[in-house]
Amino acid sequence: MLTTDFPIGSPCWIDLGSPNIPATAEFYGKVFGWTFQEVPEAGGYGFLRLNGRTVGAVGNLDQGARSAWTTYFLTADADAAVKAAEQAGATVRVPPTDVMQEGRFAALTDPQGAEFAIWQAGSTRGLDVVSEDNALCWSELHTQDQDGGSTFYGSLFGWRVENFEPSPGMSYRVVSTAEGDQRQTSFGGIAPVMREGQPSAWTPYFAANDVDALVAKATAAGGSVLMPAADMDNVGRIAWLADPNGAPFALIKGEPQES
């Protein structure tokens, strides 16, 4: 389970590149009830907040880039992590850079083409809230090479990988951090791409008390449905959506956990 303890190797931050920050903030406000708080002198970059707590951020879209959510993974040493990632076949898009006293980050593309970022904590370790309704609860990599993805991230962050077959014939790998109980520290998964030609990418899942209601809110606000709400055995009810700029995200209401 993703928690705000943020052990090394876990998702600790998400942000979104947008061609129109006010319109994007308005969309997610209608869907999740988030508000936008601009960071002074940050070029339009600002926090997305739920009841006063940060659940993500949004900034200007880089020229030539597509609108998408970026997942940041916590590391103890951003410079060492970038060097290791390069040696393992990753491409560095933004070299290690200090963000005032808040921390140090870098943006990379893994060997299969999925973009991600790393974060070395300073004053800020990560998001204020996760694993609650309308907040990040799971991060999922869809890739054309599950073995390659598992090997790359496993070597970079020490992730443990457990094969999971939610339904017959479905290939899925649950990932957890290096330390702690494997099931208690799982935070995401590695799955095959859903269709031929789909690029490898990380996608955030947001917890939903009512998946169908949020799908309706998203479509009414100009979003589109990539995968309709459906029940998945041993998982829960999920849906995949895209915001008005085409950035994918997912919703999930998980099945009750056995005590």
Side-chain angles (χ1 to χ4, degrees):
M1 179 181 176
L2 184 61
T3 73
T4 52
D5 292 337
F6 297 124
I8 295 297
S10 68
C12 62
W13 191 264
I14 52 172
D15 63 17
L16 175 64
S18 167
N20 186 330
I21 293 174
T24 294
E26 182 180 7
F27 169 80
Y28 286 99
K30 290 179 178 178
V31 178
F32 294 120
W34 297 347
T35 57
F36 176 69
Q37 179 185 346
E38 186 171 353
V39 178
E41 301 179 1
Y45 190 90
F47 301 138
L48 296 164
R49 298 172 70 82
L50 178 67
N51 299 324
R53 300 178 296 170
T54 301
V55 293
V58 59
N60 289 307
L61 186 65
D62 293 335
Q63 186 173 5
R66 62 183 177 86
S67 186
W69 286 95
T70 297
T71 301
Y72 291 64
F73 299 97
L74 191 69
T75 180
D77 187 329
D79 296 80
V82 165
K83 183 177 180 180
E86 283 189 288
Q87 291 174 344
T91 302
V92 179
R93 302 194 322 278
V94 180
T97 304
D98 288 329
V99 183
M100 297 174 286
Q101 76 281 3
E102 304 303 324
R104 188 166 175 82
F105 92 103
L108 305 98
T109 302
D110 74 20
Q112 288 74 45
E115 297 182 351
F116 69 103
I118 56 175
W119 180 254
Q120 177 185 331
S123 299
T124 297
R125 190 169 181 83
L127 301 171
D128 292 336
V129 57
V130 295
S131 299
E132 294 182 13
D133 287 345
N134 302 332
L136 179 71
C137 65
W138 194 255
S139 295
E140 193 166 88
L141 172 65
H142 283 251
T143 176
Q144 299 178 38
D145 184 357
Q146 282 181 284
D147 289 336
S150 299
T151 298
F152 171 77
Y153 289 101
S155 65
L156 186 60
F157 297 120
W159 289 352
R160 293 168 291 177
V161 180
E162 180 182 10
N163 292 325
F164 174 56
E165 191 173 331
S167 58
M170 182 176 180
S171 176
Y172 196 89
R173 300 176 187 186
V174 175
V175 291
S176 57
T177 56
E179 302 296 330
D181 179 87
Q182 192 164 354
R183 292 189 179 274
Q184 293 298 318
T185 59
S186 61
F187 61 80
I190 300 175
V193 293
M194 293 189 288
R195 63 181 184 278
E196 189 70 25
Q198 178 185 357
S200 296
W202 282 96
T203 300
Y205 276 70
F206 300 107
N209 181 58
D210 187 332
V211 170
D212 298 78
L214 290 189
V215 169
K217 288 182 178 181
T219 54
S224 56
V225 177
L226 302 179
M227 187 184 78
D231 295 321
M232 181 172 292
D233 291 342
N234 304 312
V235 175
R237 190 163 182 80
I238 65 174
W240 273 59
L241 303 168
D243 70 20
N245 297 310
F249 64 98
L251 307 172
I252 182 168
K253 181 176 184 179
E255 292 185 344
Q257 298 296 307
E258 294 182 1
S259 58

